[in-house]
Amino acid sequence: WIKAQSLSKDIVILTPVALRSIFEYFDWGCSSRSVEKMCALMGHIYRNSEVDDEAFIACVESALYLDVSGATEITLIIDSLMEEQIAQRTTKTDSLMNIGFIHSHPNELEIAMSLGDFQWHRRLYENDWKKALTIILNPQKKHIAAYAGPAANHVELHLLGYTEYEIDRKRRERLSI
């Protein structure tokens, strides 16, 4: 897992199914250049009262790929149309809820939040479920970070099944040569 660089008590978990889906969509570990991409994170949020009444555990169980027409290597327009896409693709009977978003900062970009990222994160926090979750990754560098709460604190991120995913990815690479 990836330890947080802050004192946040929140924890984010990517299940093996979610991890595989996300990493394959974002081409984790590839060396070719790419444009920014985005997914909605679907799962559950649990209070972590053993740690603190305000602490939570976010369990990401799947990802919905979002249409980000017009995205470039350094620009991604994030707007309310993203939320509409999620609403159209989920039903009231779905057991998973939208608990945040993941997007890429590909190529030479760092995984730190941009001002636009922070403003979107804050809007989610203030208007929606008060526990905004943003994950940013760079697939070429194989860097990933999670941010949560009103200040977008860097939080601990657990990647369940990561080792198995990497072994399988390397095996597929060898077979395709």
Side-chain angles (χ1 to χ4, degrees), residues 26-27 30 32-37 72-73 104 106-107 139-140:
F26 287 100
D27 296 322
C30 80
S32 59
R33 300 187 70 76
S34 62
V35 299
E36 290 198 37
K37 297 179 182 178
T72 70
E73 291 185 2
S104 59
N107 312 313
Q140 290 84 2

Side-chain angles (χ1 to χ4, degrees), residues 16-170:
V17 170
L19 180 134
R20 180 170 294 279
S21 174
I22 289 167
F23 281 8
E24 287 177 0
Y25 176 69
F26 287 100
D27 296 322
W28 184 259
C30 80
S31 58
S32 59
R33 300 187 70 76
S34 62
V35 299
E36 290 198 37
K37 297 179 182 178
M38 186 170 198
C39 294
L41 300 171
M42 308 302 288
H44 294 96
I45 296 177
Y46 305 97
R47 288 241 176 258
N48 193 0
S49 56
E50 291 179 9
V51 173
D52 185 297
D53 286 339
E54 296 298 314
F56 74 91
I57 298 171
C59 184
V60 179
E61 298 177 44
S62 71
L64 285 177
Y65 313 133
L66 300 175
D67 177 20
V68 288
S69 303
T72 70
E73 291 185 2
I74 59 170
T75 306
L76 174 69
I77 304 300
I78 302 174
D79 57 24
S80 60
L81 294 177
M82 305 275 179
E83 294 173 60
E84 289 175 28
Q85 284 184 59
I86 297 163
Q88 291 171 356
R89 294 172 57 197
T90 58
T91 66
K92 295 198 185 305
T93 59
D94 288 340
S95 64
L96 303 177
M97 63 183 223
N98 177 17
I99 60 174
F101 294 89
I102 182 170
H103 73 279
S104 59
H105 283 185
N107 312 313
E108 294 82 23
L109 296 177
E110 298 299 324
I111 56 173
M113 277 195 161
S114 68
L115 179 58
D117 295 337
F118 181 75
Q119 289 171 338
W120 173 254
H121 181 90
R122 282 293 301 182
R123 192 198 73 69
L124 291 173
Y125 183 84
E126 292 168 0
N127 296 333
D128 295 335
W129 44 275
K130 300 291 185 209
K131 289 293 180 190
L133 169 62
T134 300
I135 298 177
I136 301 174
L137 61 77
N138 181 308
Q140 290 84 2
K141 295 179 180 181
K142 294 169 61 172
H143 292 174
I144 188 168
Y147 304 89
N153 291 324
H154 191 191
V155 298
E156 190 172 321
L157 176 61
H158 295 254
L159 305 174
L160 303 183
Y162 179 77
T163 302
E164 294 81 0
Y165 175 83
E166 279 295 302
I167 291 168
D168 187 49
R169 185 182 69 80
K170 289 175 183 173

